[in-house]
Amino acid sequence: MKLVFATHNPNKFKEIQSLLPDHIELLSLKDIGCDEDIEETGDTIDENAIIKAEYVKNHYGYDCFADDTGLEVNSLAGAPGVFSARYAGEKKDDNANVEKLLSQLEKRDDRSARFKTVIALNLKGNENLFTGICEGEITSERKGDKGFGYDPIFVPTGFDKTFAEMDLSEKSKISHRGMAFKELIEYLSK
């Protein structure tokens, strides 16, 4: 089975490719000649995932799945949420996003947060959504050099290290993305 993962992010692609069973050939947007940046115009994480999956199906004809992820910080009323990748501006600069978030949390006691991933699968014209949530908290400084995005400042509940301090296999077992993709893989295995 061939499936397109609608992402230009090589880190996400690598992370997900390692989770898929051998009978699924995973293609990237680059593999199908899709160089455009699919606009995420939805008001929610769910809507953005659906938009991306439908775009690939409608424009390229491939069965596809797309994810969207947001970091929701309780003391910031759920921000950055749907704007996580562009929190500090349209450039999608991970370092600037992390700095902005740390700055906004500097004088706040409540640093609880959650990562939420929604995967939209568009398979043979049918859509399904799979959701993963990982609760945790935001550190006051960066720790670790693995991962991407907010990984250096997010400690999942029950752990004493950030996602950026974990190796990929450890992170994948407990992460929001890992949970959502586990649901997707179980569905595809039926």
Side-chain angles (χ1 to χ4, degrees):
M1 165 189 285
K2 285 186 181 183
L3 266 180
V4 173
F5 180 17
T7 186
H8 288 295
N9 185 324
N11 294 308
K12 275 188 188 181
F13 188 85
K14 182 180 175 186
E15 189 174 323
I16 297 319
Q17 193 170 35
S18 71
L19 300 174
L20 288 176
D22 293 338
H23 75 279
I24 296 175
E25 180 184 352
L26 190 62
L27 303 172
S28 68
L29 291 176
K30 183 178 179 182
D31 293 331
I32 64 168
C34 178
D35 296 321
E36 58 264 35
D37 191 17
I38 303 168
E39 286 192 48
E40 298 176 5
T41 56
D43 293 328
T44 66
I45 293 167
D46 300 41
E47 288 174 9
N48 282 340
I50 292 167
I51 288 168
K52 290 185 281 188
E54 285 180 352
Y55 183 91
V56 170
K57 185 68 174 178
N58 293 338
H59 288 83
Y60 293 89
Y62 285 94
D63 288 333
C64 175
F65 65 88
D67 79 324
D68 197 39
T69 297
L71 177 65
E72 300 171 338
V73 180
N74 290 331
S75 65
L76 299 177
V82 73
F83 303 107
S84 293
R86 295 173 178 83
Y87 196 44
E90 287 301 314
K91 289 184 180 179
K92 297 183 182 180
D93 183 323
D94 287 349
N95 289 326
N97 290 336
V98 167
E99 288 306 315
K100 180 177 179 178
L101 183 59
L102 288 176
S103 172
Q104 290 187 327
L105 290 177
E106 206 168 277
K107 295 181 179 172
R108 297 183 188 254
D109 293 330
D110 181 4
R111 300 179 79 86
S112 61
R114 78 193 50 77
F115 266 120
K116 178 181 179 182
T117 292
V118 175
I119 298 168
L121 172 67
N122 193 315
L123 185 64
K124 298 180 184 10
N126 296 316
E127 284 186 346
N128 290 285
L129 296 180
F130 308 92
T131 302
I133 294 175
C134 183
E135 300 285 346
E137 65 180 43
I138 305 300
T139 61
S140 57
E141 61 186 30
R142 296 169 190 258
K143 296 179 184 176
D145 58 3
K146 299 175 184 137
F148 59 97
Y150 297 96
D151 286 357
I153 60 169
F154 184 82
V155 176
T157 300
F159 290 81
D160 61 357
K161 56 186 174 180
T162 67
F163 274 158
E165 294 175 292
M166 297 179 181
D167 63 39
L168 186 56
S169 64
E170 183 180 13
K171 177 187 171 189
S172 294
K173 290 177 187 171
I174 62 165
S175 77
H176 47 293
R177 190 170 291 110
M179 286 186 258
F181 273 94
K182 183 179 177 193
E183 286 186 21
L184 171 67
I185 291 164
E186 286 173 2
Y187 178 84
L188 292 173
S189 297
K190 292 179 183 175

